[in-house]
Amino acid sequence: MKQTVVAIIYDFDKTLCTKDMQEYTFIPSLGMSSAEFWEWADHLASKDGMDRILASMYAMLKKSQELGHGIRRRELVEIGKDVEFFPGVEKWFERMDDFARNENIAIEHYVVSSGMKEIIEGTSIKKRFKRIFASEFYYGEDGCAVWPRMAVNYSAKTQFLFRINKGILNISDDDSLNELTPENERPVPFRNIIYIGDGMTDVPCMKVVKANGGISVAVYTQIERAQRLILDDRVNFIANADYSEGSRLDKIIKDSIRMIAAGDRLAQYSYSQKSEAERVYNAKKD
C-alpha cells in the first residue's frame, strides 16, 4: 500500500502573517498609510473596472515609479524578513511533519495566496513549502518590474487546488491539468487536502475542498466572521490563529491528519478489491 500524502494548503495574509504582507515595510516606504494605499487601489479597481489584485499591483508599481526607483525583485524579497507571524507559525511545519511521520504519512505544505510571491520568498518559513503559488511581477533586463507575471485573485486560487490534486505544478502546463485523471490515480486526492484560510477571500477554495471531501479550516483573530463561515457551511472548523502546540488549531489539524490517513487506507483497500473483482470477472468472461 502506497504511503498516504496529505497536502496542507495555506493562504498567507492574515492566515500565517498578522496583516497584508505589503503593510509591514513596502507601503510605508511609499510614504502612505495602509488605509491610504488600499483605498487608492480599490478606487482604481472600481473606476476602471480592474481586477482588484491587478489594481493593487499596478498601484505598487505606479507609486514606486513616481518616487523614482521602481520595484526590484531583490528588494521585495529582502522585505520578507519583516513579515510577522501568528504565534507558533515558525515551529508549526516541523512539528506537523514529525507528527505525520509517526503516523506513516507524508505532508506537503503549499501556499496559495493573492499576496506577493517575492515577499513570501524572503520570509523565514519559505523553505517549508513544496511550492508557493502567489502573485508575482515580471522583471525587465534592468531588474525592474514591468508587468504582472502572475495575478492570483480569489477565484483563480482554485486552479491551484486542482494542480496540487493532480500533481501538475508547472503553471504553464494547462493541457495536463485539463486531461481526465481518475481521482484514485491523482497524487493528492481531494479527501487528503486540508485548506487553511482566514476569511471571505478564501471562500472559493474552502468550498471546493470541503465539497470534495477535504477539510477546510478558517482561522481568526476576531471570531464573528469565522462563525459566519461555519454557519454558512463553508468550512468544517474554525480556530483562533494560534499555531502553538496544544492550541485548538493544532488539535484540529492533527485529528484531521489521523482521519485522512484512515480514510485513505480504506479507499485504497476498496480500490484494490474492486480492481481484483473486476480482473476475476473479466477472466471468467473470457
Side-chain angles (χ1 to χ4, degrees):
M1 181 176 294
K2 66 180 181 180
Q3 185 181 35
T4 297
V5 177
V6 174
I8 306 181
I9 304 173
Y10 309 83
D11 177 44
F12 204 88
D13 293 339
K14 302 176 186 176
T15 294
L16 295 173
C17 65
T18 59
K19 55 187 178 181
D20 290 323
M21 64 184 70
Q22 296 94 328
E23 296 180 6
Y24 295 101
T25 303
F26 181 81
I27 293 175
S29 75
L30 302 178
M32 304 177 74
S33 69
S34 295
E36 289 171 335
F37 177 84
W38 294 119
E39 183 179 357
W40 179 43
D42 287 345
H43 174 71
L44 289 172
S46 176
K47 178 174 70 73
D48 296 321
M50 296 174 67
D51 175 90
R52 291 184 66 191
I53 303 305
L54 285 170
S56 68
M57 294 176 74
Y58 172 77
M60 290 173 67
L61 189 56
K62 179 175 176 59
K63 188 62 176 178
S64 296
Q65 290 172 340
E66 287 177 356
L67 294 173
H69 53 72
I71 296 176
R72 295 181 181 274
R73 192 180 202 286
R74 66 175 182 271
E75 293 169 353
L76 286 183
V77 173
E78 179 65 18
I79 66 176
K81 70 179 188 301
D82 298 325
V83 170
E84 298 174 3
F85 298 106
F86 285 117
V89 165
E90 292 183 280
K91 295 182 179 179
W92 165 268
F93 305 95
E94 184 176 2
R95 194 172 72 252
M96 284 298 121
D97 291 346
D98 289 343
F99 172 81
R101 195 175 299 112
N102 291 333
E103 301 285 332
N104 193 33
I105 297 165
I107 289 188
E108 297 175 351
H109 302 278
Y110 296 88
V111 167
V112 176
S113 171
S114 295
M116 300 307 303
K117 182 177 181 181
E118 297 94 328
I119 296 177
I120 298 171
E121 288 182 343
T123 66
S124 60
I125 61 174
K126 180 261 180 182
K127 60 183 180 296
R128 297 298 184 181
F129 303 112
K130 180 170 181 177
R131 192 63 62 92
I132 297 169
F133 298 110
S135 302
E136 186 178 10
F137 285 111
Y138 175 78
Y139 298 87
E141 293 182 0
D142 62 354
C144 288
V146 295
W147 196 260
R149 178 179 178 181
M150 173 67 65
V152 181
N153 66 22
Y154 313 130
S155 58
K157 282 184 174 184
T158 58
Q159 74 152 302
F160 301 107
L161 303 180
F162 289 95
R163 288 190 179 280
I164 293 165
N165 167 242
K166 290 187 170 185
I168 312 297
L169 303 184
N170 179 357
I171 61 173
S172 298
D173 186 355
D174 294 328
D175 292 339
S176 299
L177 179 64
N178 292 319
E179 288 179 359
L180 178 64
T181 306
E183 183 69 11
N184 280 307
E185 296 179 14
R186 300 182 184 190
V188 188
F190 268 101
R191 65 176 181 269
N192 292 16
I193 292 178
I194 300 171
Y195 185 88
I196 303 177
D198 69 281
M200 298 305 293
T201 60
D202 297 297
V203 164
C205 285
M206 290 170 168
K207 291 180 67 176
V208 168
V209 170
K210 185 175 183 293
N212 285 279
I215 301 293
S216 290
V217 182
V219 296
Y220 62 83
T221 54
Q222 296 181 342
I223 196 170
E224 291 80 8
R225 183 169 60 182
Q227 287 176 327
R228 184 76 261 165
L229 290 171
I230 200 164
L231 284 172
D232 290 343
D233 205 29
R234 292 176 168 183
V235 297
N236 301 88
F237 306 103
I238 62 175
N240 186 35
D242 181 357
Y243 292 76
S244 304
E245 187 167 9
S247 67
R248 175 184 290 185
L249 180 62
D250 181 75
K251 293 174 181 177
I252 287 172
I253 299 304
K254 286 177 177 176
D255 283 344
S256 296
I257 290 170
R258 293 189 187 101
M259 184 185 73
I260 288 170
D264 194 58
R265 286 193 295 270
L266 290 172
Q268 290 188 54
Y269 288 144
S270 177
Y271 183 74
S272 64
Q273 289 180 346
K274 182 178 179 180
S275 297
E276 176 62 16
E278 186 175 32
R279 185 190 65 80
V280 172
Y281 177 78
N282 289 334
K284 287 181 178 179
K285 283 175 57 179
D286 294 340

